[in-house]
Amino acid sequence: MNADTVSVLDVTRLRRRYTWLVLALALPALLSMLWLAQRQYETYRHTALRELAISADQRSAALDRLLRPVRDDVLRLRALVQDLLGRDLPPSGLSTDFLLPADPAEAGRSEYSLDALPALLKDSGAQLLLSNVQPPGPVQQREALARATLFGEQAQLAGQANAVMGRVYFISAVGDQAWLHPWQPSASLLNDAGARTLTTYLKGLALRTAVASRNVASGEAFEPDWSAPWTDALGTRYITLRAPLWRDVTLLGVVAMDVPLARLQQALAGPAARQGGGRFWLLDGRDDSLVDHAAGAGLPQLAQERRAEALASDAAIDLGEQALTQRRLQTAPWQVLALLPEAQVQRMVLELFWPQLLVAAEFVLILTLVLYLLWRSFTAPALQLVDYLRRAAAAPGAAPPPASRLWTPWFKLVGDTFDQWRASARQAEQTEALKSAIVDHALAAVITTDDDGRVVEFNPAAEAMFQYSRNSALGRPVAELITPERFRQAHNEGMRRMREGSPPRLLGQRIAMRAVRADGSEFPIDIVLWRTHVGERSFFTASIVDATQAHAAEEQIVRQREALRQSEKLSAMGSLLAGVAHELNNPLAILMGRATLLETRTEGLAHLPEGLGLQNDALRIREAAERCARIVRTFLSMARQKKGQQRPVQLNELVHGAVDLLQYSLRTSGIAVELRLAEELPSVLADGDQLGQVLLNLLVNAQQALTGRPQPLKLCIETGLEEERGRAGGRIRQAWLRVADNGPGVAPGLRERIFDPFFTTKGEGAGTGLGLAFSRSVALEHGGSLRLEEVSPTGSGASFRLSLPLAPPEDRQAPADTRPAALEVEQQARILVVDDEAELAQVIREMLESGGYELATAESGEVALELLAEARFDAIVSDLRMPGMDGPALWREVRRLHPALARRMVFVTGDTLSPAADRFLADTRCPCVDKPFSKADLLDKVRLVLDQA
């Protein structure tokens, strides 16, 4: 057989299979439809029964909504009557004249009614009926009238919200008193009841509302109950809700409400009763019919067990000839019973099921037609298309069979698809060549191995990185080419686990590793490895980047982080030292003050040998104390955290302070310090704290450079004036400071890097690399410069030169003279000294008394205020920080009591680091003397405030 004959046989076989397939699918579909129809019939029947139960539930809920206000109003009115009978009431606004005796009355009894009630009060009032053997007295009449009035008002309020309420009333247990709302003439009441006298009417009312004997102790006696239905003289049927009223075990009466049964029948009928939707009855507790929603046949006889089953079921139960459902009310001991004949159930099911049957028949007809059209229009042409697919795949240019216009595009599409597939195959070959070119020119090294770990691809970047040619690398184990020998066993183990099917742990992750070149040198790499499946084989490709530069940068970051940590440690140590220095201020102030006073007192003994020795001792004590004070001020300046403020600063004074601070360390290190300071050096405009830190950095660097060097060790500090060419071309004068040592100096290759942040030539832990960078930035911020000189004055070592612009002439200050000055005596000036430390207060007192002032001292702010109230003072010298009332609190009180004196206060403080103290002194503009202080400083500040006054 040729190819065409084989093709025809295959198509015939496919047609036969298609026919059996349609039959195999259609038969289960028909059986499924029959089964679904049966299930649907049962579902619709259950739905019909459920609708009957839902209808009963809706009518039960409607009756509950109708009866719940009745029960609530009766209970509320019973509570009102209980309260009214239990207490004396003030007279109401109604006169007892409205109570009229009844005529005719029963023999031997007095009868009264409220027939004379004004017309305006009849809507809100209640009819009061009295029947007594003895005529009631005025007090009894007033009390009964007051109670009936309040009862009528509350009954009217209840009637406004209760659409069911008929007559509501209270009848006493013995039938001698009744309150009825709404108000109705007694004659009308007697006519409706068919009674001749009020006594007869009241007895009949009491009889109708009588309750059975109950157990009062158990609480059941207080529960309201419903009476049997009754009919009035007009033929209207009612049912009464009765709420008995007890006092202890004595029945006082009953509060009752008459409910028309016609209203209950309306609720039972429902707002839109469905035609033929069943019959509904309302049964009382004795299973007697109260109302029928459609007056007709009586209640049928039903077995109690079936009714109990209907009560427990969510849907109606099937009794064969009819369906039954029953629901219990929540507000009354009644039940709603509903019956639906079986004929109506079947009619309801057919009404629901008939459209489904039509749809099923239409579905079968449409399915048959669709199958026929599907065969004619799609299946047969599709089989031809399958045949054409086989021929077109086997040979290019196969001719398509004749087909309808609908299928002609599909045959053309098949031919075009095979043409495109062949074109795509050619394009894939070109794409593969392009990818190979990309890999060959990639910057990253790309190495591909088979699942045995042998190289199958080695791009030019890999050749350059690992120094192997592609031909020499192909076929060799990759571990022997790029993996250091100590890692090869682990590499081979990993490849073995992946070949055995273990889950890979490193695929798709960027991993830092060590690699080896052909010359044996190791270097760091970052590698990403992934696996590619080609057929049944697996290949592993690695993209590799040389990470030498990245690792170097990371190490630099680690060094910088360590330098920052060291810097933070130094900052914390500086703050600790500053705190210790702050605590030394008070004793230093006392020491300086006493030394100054001692030096002053020995001036008159200079002509005596012993006096001259005492004067020299006092001078040495004062100079030593001043040196300690400079060290303390230097520590505090280093620890002070505030915004830089530039003001005239004496460069020579900063040098002395820094040398004093490091003198012990320099001396114990064997370093000789030589000072070459220019005399009468003008001030520079700078932040003294920052400039002092720069000077300390330079001195510490010099000391560390000299450590471990052979003697002699020299450190030279010089200052002077120079002229530099300005930016505008003119000459400007600057002050300069040089710090030079005879250490090893700075290597020529490092001279440009020593000012870079985090760069240091010191050993591990000896430096942060921030000192010179910070110092140069401070110099540039001040408009100056810091540079490393080419030649050191010491002949060897390093020499740093700091240049700063001079302060404007009007801001320059001469070097301060710390010696005690002779001041003119301010006659008749009385000064109050306030300090909690008695010794410091005594020193201040003696200093000021030596200046010719009259003094008084106070150990607290409270004592100072008492002295100010008793005497006059021209100025106040107060400590800023004291227990209890401190300096700021004292200043506020002085400003309030003595405003002029508040401008003549001088504060003494050692808390120079406190931002609060700075803000207070800036706000008040009061002079301040920092501890420790000299006598001249104190007298200057006192004279300043007295001169301002």
Side-chain angles (χ1 to χ4, degrees):
M1 292 185 298
N2 54 24
D4 293 338
T5 304
V6 173
S7 177
V8 170
L9 292 176
D10 290 340
V11 171
T12 303
R13 189 182 302 111
L14 289 175
R15 289 178 179 177
R16 189 181 301 114
R17 290 181 180 179
Y18 173 78
T19 302
W20 284 107
L21 178 62
V22 170
L23 292 176
L25 292 176
L27 185 60
L30 292 176
L31 294 177
S32 299
M33 289 180 60
L34 293 176
W35 180 80
L36 289 174
Q38 175 65 24
R39 296 286 299 186
Q40 194 68 26
Y41 173 81
E42 294 175 357
T43 300
Y44 285 147
R45 181 177 179 82
H46 181 76
T47 300
L49 299 180
R50 179 60 184 158
E51 286 183 359
L52 180 63
I54 292 174
S55 181
D57 288 335
Q58 293 173 347
R59 286 164 169 79
S60 300
L63 289 170
D64 280 330
R65 289 194 299 271
L66 198 67
L67 296 176
R68 186 172 287 107
V70 174
R71 177 184 175 88
D72 294 343
D73 291 339
V74 169
L75 292 178
R76 192 180 303 110
L77 291 174
R78 182 179 69 175
L80 172 67
V81 175
Q82 181 88 30
D83 179 65
L84 294 177
L85 296 179
R87 60 187 176 94
D88 296 333
L89 298 177
S92 67
L94 297 178
S95 172
T96 57
D97 295 338
F98 297 139
L99 276 175
L100 301 179
D103 188 24
E106 188 171 318
R109 302 186 70 89
S110 58
E111 299 176 350
Y112 291 86
S113 66
L114 198 59
D115 286 344
L117 185 68
L120 293 176
L121 302 178
K122 290 179 180 180
D123 291 339
S124 62
Q127 175 64 276
L128 172 62
L129 303 179
L130 298 175
S131 173
N132 302 88
V133 177
Q134 298 294 332
V139 175
Q140 295 175 330
Q141 292 182 4
R142 285 195 297 270
E143 289 182 352
L145 190 59
R147 293 187 178 101
T149 300
L150 293 176
F151 179 82
E153 293 175 353
Q154 294 300 317
Q156 183 195 21
L157 294 176
Q160 292 175 354
N162 190 345
V164 186
M165 189 178 77
R167 178 181 294 113
V168 60
Y169 50 89
F170 165 72
I171 177 69
S172 63
V174 296
D176 61 348
Q177 183 177 180
W179 315 331
L180 299 95
H181 180 83
W183 182 91
Q184 189 175 352
S186 60
S188 177
L189 294 173
L190 295 178
N191 182 54
D192 293 344
R196 293 179 59 255
T197 64
L198 292 180
T199 301
T200 305
Y201 175 78
L202 291 176
K203 289 182 178 179
L205 193 63
L207 182 61
R208 190 169 71 231
T209 57
V211 295
S213 176
R214 299 181 180 183
N215 185 2
V216 178
S218 65
E220 66 170 328
F222 297 93
E223 290 296 323
D225 67 346
W226 294 87
S227 71
W230 55 275
T231 307
D232 63 3
L234 300 178
T236 304
R237 298 183 71 239
Y238 292 91
I239 190 168
T240 303
L241 179 61
R242 306 169 297 191
L245 185 63
W246 299 83
R247 178 177 294 165
D248 296 332
V249 295
T250 303
L251 180 65
L252 300 180
V254 176
V255 176
M257 180 183 294
D258 297 337
V259 178
L261 288 178
R263 187 67 182 87
L264 299 182
Q265 187 173 10
Q266 294 175 1
L268 184 64
R274 179 176 173 178
Q275 184 69 25
R279 292 286 303 277
F280 295 87
W281 289 268
L282 180 62
L283 308 181
D284 62 7
R286 295 178 297 275
D287 288 341
D288 293 332
S289 175
L290 294 177
V291 292
D292 182 358
H293 91 283
L299 179 68
Q301 295 295 327
L302 300 172
Q304 289 296 330
E305 59 272 13
R306 302 298 286 172
R307 292 179 57 184
E309 182 183 354
L311 274 175
S313 175
D314 291 338
I317 63 174
D318 193 353
L319 301 181
E321 295 182 356
Q322 56 188 355
L324 168 67
T325 186
Q326 193 166 349
R327 292 293 180 265
R328 183 177 287 110
L329 270 64
Q330 298 180 358
T331 55
W334 302 338
Q335 299 176 5
V336 174
L337 184 143
L339 289 175
L340 183 65
E342 177 64 22
Q344 293 184 5
V345 174
Q346 294 293 339
R347 185 167 56 252
M348 294 173 62
V349 171
L350 287 177
E351 288 177 358
L352 295 173
F353 194 58
W354 182 249
Q356 305 288 341
L357 293 177
L358 291 179
V359 171
E362 292 176 358
F363 174 77
V364 172
L365 181 60
I366 292 174
L367 179 61
T368 303
L369 182 60
V370 166
L371 289 175
Y372 172 76
L373 294 177
L374 182 63
W375 168 259
R376 183 179 181 85
S377 302
F378 295 97
T379 306
L383 293 175
Q384 293 178 348
L385 181 62
V386 170
D387 178 65
Y388 178 61
L389 282 172
R390 181 181 301 174
R391 290 188 292 107
S404 64
R405 288 184 301 175
L406 178 64
W407 283 89
T408 299
W410 290 99
F411 286 98
K412 184 178 184 303
L413 177 62
V414 169
D416 294 342
T417 301
F418 277 101
D419 292 341
Q420 293 177 4
W421 172 72
R422 292 184 176 90
S424 298
R426 291 191 297 270
Q427 186 177 2
E429 294 176 358
Q430 297 173 359
T431 302
E432 184 65 24
L434 176 61
K435 290 181 179 179
S436 299
I438 294 174
V439 170
D440 290 343
H441 294 84
L443 293 178
V446 178
I447 302 176
T448 302
T449 69
D450 57 15
D451 51 5
D452 292 329
R454 297 186 176 275
V455 177
V456 297
E457 181 58 50
F458 203 80
N459 75 335
E463 293 178 323
M465 183 179 297
F466 296 101
Q467 301 173 357
Y468 289 102
S469 66
R470 184 174 184 275
N471 293 332
S472 64
L474 293 179
R476 296 178 58 183
V478 69
E480 296 179 2
L481 296 178
I482 67 173
T483 304
E485 186 174 356
R486 62 183 182 278
F487 300 134
R488 290 176 185 174
Q489 183 177 357
H491 171 82
N492 294 331
E493 278 294 317
M495 295 295 294
R496 182 187 60 79
R497 286 195 301 271
M498 284 191 290
R499 285 196 302 269
E500 293 174 356
S502 299
R505 293 177 295 177
L506 303 180
L507 294 184
Q509 303 181 23
R510 189 183 183 98
I511 308 168
M513 298 179 60
R514 302 288 297 179
V516 62
R517 298 185 178 91
D519 60 3
S521 61
E522 290 190 12
F523 63 102
I525 61 171
D526 288 342
I527 180 172
V528 177
L529 184 67
W530 66 93
R531 179 163 54 187
T532 305
H533 296 284
V534 179
E536 297 181 355
R537 300 188 61 187
S538 296
F539 294 89
F540 297 92
T541 303
S543 177
I544 305 172
V545 177
D546 189 343
T548 303
Q549 294 183 354
H551 281 216
E554 183 178 354
E555 293 174 358
Q556 178 68 12
I557 292 174
V558 172
R559 289 194 298 270
Q560 292 176 355
R561 187 181 295 114
E562 179 63 20
L564 182 59
R565 186 180 67 85
Q566 294 293 336
S567 176
E568 292 175 351
K569 289 173 58 178
L570 292 176
S571 177
M573 183 61 69
S575 299
L576 176 63
L577 294 176
V580 175
H582 170 262
E583 294 299 324
L584 294 176
N585 276 333
N586 283 344
L588 278 177
I590 298 173
L591 179 61
M592 284 185 62
R594 286 299 180 188
T596 302
L597 293 174
L598 180 61
E599 185 180 2
T600 303
R601 292 171 181 170
T602 56
E603 288 180 354
L605 304 176
H607 60 283
L608 299 176
E610 296 83 356
L612 183 58
L614 288 174
Q615 186 176 14
N616 291 334
D617 291 341
L619 176 62
R620 292 187 180 92
I621 293 173
R622 179 175 64 83
E623 290 176 347
E626 289 177 349
R627 178 185 170 195
C628 291
R630 287 196 300 272
I631 294 174
V632 168
R633 278 193 290 270
T634 303
F635 275 136
L636 294 177
S637 297
M638 291 171 59
R640 185 176 291 113
Q641 300 292 332
K642 64 179 183 179
K643 185 178 180 181
Q645 297 179 352
Q646 295 187 5
R647 53 177 177 265
V649 176
Q650 279 292 326
L651 203 56
N652 290 345
E653 290 184 2
L654 292 179
V655 172
H656 284 293
V659 171
D660 288 341
L661 180 63
L662 300 176
Q663 184 174 9
Y664 176 78
S665 176
L666 295 172
R667 186 173 65 253
T668 55
S669 299
I671 300 174
V673 179
E674 180 181 1
L675 299 181
R676 303 174 185 175
L677 307 181
E679 298 181 359
E680 298 182 357
L681 185 66
S683 302
V684 295
L685 189 63
D687 185 303
D689 297 340
Q690 293 182 353
L691 211 56
Q693 185 65 49
V694 170
L695 184 56
L696 285 174
N697 287 342
L698 296 177
L699 294 179
V700 169
N701 285 347
Q703 179 185 359
Q704 293 178 345
L706 293 173
T707 300
R709 303 288 296 178
Q711 293 288 338
L713 304 178
K714 298 180 181 180
L715 177 60
C716 179
I717 306 174
E718 298 180 77
T719 60
L721 288 174
E722 64 180 359
E723 287 189 357
E724 291 286 344
R725 183 179 300 277
R727 295 182 179 179
R731 308 291 293 182
I732 59 173
R733 299 185 68 198
Q734 290 184 328
W736 58 269
L737 171 111
R738 175 185 290 119
V739 176
D741 62 72
N742 62 342
V746 180
L750 303 177
R751 295 179 67 88
E752 296 299 328
R753 298 186 59 193
I754 59 174
F755 292 103
D756 293 342
F758 302 106
F759 178 79
T760 179
T761 59
K762 302 171 186 177
E764 183 71 22
T768 64
L770 294 174
L772 288 177
F774 166 77
S775 301
R776 170 172 275 187
S777 66
V778 170
L780 294 176
E781 288 176 1
H782 286 74
S785 63
L786 176 63
R787 67 180 187 273
L788 175 63
E789 294 183 309
E790 295 291 338
V791 180
S792 174
T794 58
S796 63
S799 175
F800 289 90
R801 184 184 179 98
L802 174 67
S803 299
L804 295 170
L806 299 180
E810 60 273 13
D811 293 336
R812 296 178 187 173
Q813 61 180 10
D817 188 2
T818 58
R819 295 174 300 175
L823 303 174
E824 296 181 4
V825 177
E826 190 73 24
Q827 298 296 333
Q828 303 301 323
R830 302 183 65 194
I831 300 175
L832 176 61
V833 177
V834 186
D835 200 307
D836 60 304
E837 290 199 17
E839 183 63 26
L840 185 57
Q842 184 62 29
V843 169
I844 296 174
R845 178 189 183 109
E846 293 180 11
M847 282 184 176
L848 294 177
E849 285 179 344
S850 67
Y853 298 107
E854 182 179 351
L855 268 295
T857 59
E859 63 273 15
S860 66
E862 292 83 358
V863 176
L865 291 178
E866 295 177 1
L867 294 177
L868 289 173
E870 297 175 357
R872 178 191 63 81
F873 293 94
D874 299 301
I876 300 175
V877 177
S878 172
D879 194 1
L880 193 63
R881 288 287 177 261
M882 295 181 294
M885 180 179 289
D886 58 1
L890 176 62
W891 180 84
R892 288 190 289 269
E893 288 297 315
V894 171
R895 184 181 62 174
R896 183 176 63 86
L897 300 173
H898 310 282
L901 187 58
R903 294 190 296 271
R904 299 195 298 273
M905 290 185 69
V906 177
F907 288 99
V908 179
T909 181
D911 191 11
T912 59
L913 298 180
S914 172
D918 290 343
R919 287 194 299 270
F920 169 74
L921 295 174
D923 293 340
T924 60
R925 298 183 180 179
C926 291
C928 178
V929 181
D930 292 335
K931 301 175 185 177
F933 51 84
S934 65
K935 174 182 173 182
D937 292 338
L938 180 61
L939 292 175
D940 284 344
K941 292 297 189 294
V942 172
R943 178 182 293 275
L944 176 64
V945 296
L946 292 175
D947 290 344
Q948 291 176 351

